[in-house]
Amino acid sequence: MSSPELVLQVLRAELRAAAITYKALAERIGMSESSVKRMFGQKDMTLSRLAQICSASGIALEDVLRRAADVQPEADTLTAVQEKALIAKPRLLLVAICCLGHWTLEQIVETYEISEPECIGFLAELDRLGVIELKPMNRYSLRVSNAFRWLADGPVQQYVREHVVADYFSGHFDGPGETLMCLPARLSLPSARELVQKIQQLAGELARLHQSDRRLPASERDGFTLLLGFRSWEFAAFTEMRRSA
């Protein structure tokens, strides 16, 4: 996350803490509510506008800039060393995945055969690994961004290929909100790259929905997994049937 984005993130948090809505802010600075929303959504704000908003909201500009400077940028991925530490202990990996899904300690203990002391130990280990920041009362915040993904061909993806893929594809993909598509095509390299960009946009949309649905009760949410793969490939049995050059 870039520095300007961090500044706006801190400013947005300060406005929420002061119970100042976009509508109220718009009235204070003489803008329409839609313009204010667009300004924050596009993450585009001049320093003079930032100062105006802080002044109108009773927020110290110096405090916003200082807090933004103190924020550690969130990573989109872990390191290979961090991932290896996770797969070395499957139960630690389970708790890490639960944390990525914003489960509470209580939800993890209620759902899986993991005791509370054991789960607290795993949370502490994830804190040492830099995956989460453990807070009082065994609460935590993630140290990874909403766009988090496992390393391409990294330790976790290798673990998934060896132990998870067969289980994942054993389902029928015919439940509510489920789908499975295998779509072959012959594309140029520029077209393939264009599709990869669209896949990345889809991943971003998944992250947005995941973040948005955190407001819903746990009973209204279920665990879904999007598994995407796109590569130049031919089934080995078909390749063996090719004519010799």
Side-chain angles (χ1 to χ4, degrees), residues 232-242:
S232 175
W233 170 78
E234 181 181 57
F235 183 37
F238 294 168
T239 304
E240 292 177 358
M241 296 170 59
R242 282 181 174 263

Side-chain angles (χ1 to χ4, degrees), residues 12-232:
R12 191 181 292 109
E14 292 287 343
L15 290 170
R16 282 200 300 267
I20 299 174
T21 64
Y22 285 149
K23 181 178 180 180
L25 177 61
E27 293 173 352
R28 295 187 186 191
I29 62 176
M31 293 180 66
S32 67
E33 182 180 359
S34 60
S35 295
V36 170
K37 288 181 178 179
R38 183 166 56 252
M39 182 170 56
F40 277 92
Q42 294 176 346
K43 301 172 183 176
D44 182 17
M45 186 181 297
T46 64
L47 184 58
S48 59
R49 179 68 74 185
L50 174 64
Q52 180 192 24
I53 291 175
C54 288
S55 177
S57 307
I59 298 170
L61 174 59
E62 296 80 5
D63 289 345
V64 172
L65 296 177
R66 188 180 302 110
R67 284 191 59 195
D70 291 340
V71 172
Q72 182 178 356
E74 296 174 334
D76 292 338
T77 63
L78 301 178
T79 66
V81 172
Q82 289 171 310
E83 288 197 1
K84 285 181 180 178
L86 293 180
I87 64 172
K89 300 178 180 179
R91 292 163 74 82
L92 176 64
L93 177 61
L94 167 62
V95 175
I97 291 173
C98 288
C99 288
L100 291 172
H102 302 286
W103 288 41
T104 64
L105 167 72
E106 293 77 15
Q107 289 172 325
I108 297 173
V109 171
E110 289 174 1
T111 304
Y112 296 105
E113 293 183 353
I114 299 177
S115 68
E116 183 172 323
E118 186 180 18
C119 191
I120 293 173
F122 286 140
L123 292 176
E125 193 165 352
L126 292 175
D127 179 87
R128 290 193 295 272
L129 285 171
V131 179
I132 66 171
E133 180 181 352
L134 193 55
K135 298 180 180 295
M137 306 298 294
N138 298 315
R139 301 304 183 220
Y140 64 87
S141 61
L142 291 176
R143 287 182 176 172
V144 296
S145 73
N146 290 332
F148 174 79
R149 61 189 181 279
W150 300 114
L151 287 172
D153 202 31
V156 171
Q157 283 202 4
Q158 293 173 18
Y159 180 89
V160 167
R161 278 200 297 269
E162 294 174 10
H163 304 285
V164 178
V165 169
D167 184 69
Y168 182 81
F169 283 105
S170 66
H172 298 288
F173 294 85
D174 57 357
E178 297 182 354
T179 186
L180 174 65
M181 293 181 287
C182 182
L183 307 174
R186 295 190 66 83
L187 301 175
S188 65
L189 184 55
S191 294
R193 286 173 173 160
E194 179 181 344
L195 189 62
V196 168
Q197 290 180 341
K198 294 185 182 298
I199 289 174
Q200 291 170 341
Q201 291 172 3
L202 176 62
E205 182 66 10
L206 176 64
R208 183 190 68 79
L209 293 171
H210 173 60
Q211 186 73 12
S212 175
D213 284 359
R214 286 181 60 191
R215 307 168 189 166
L216 300 175
S219 59
E220 295 183 20
R221 293 174 290 150
D222 200 354
F224 284 82
T225 297
L226 178 64
L227 181 61
L228 289 172
F230 180 67
R231 57 175 289 214
S232 175

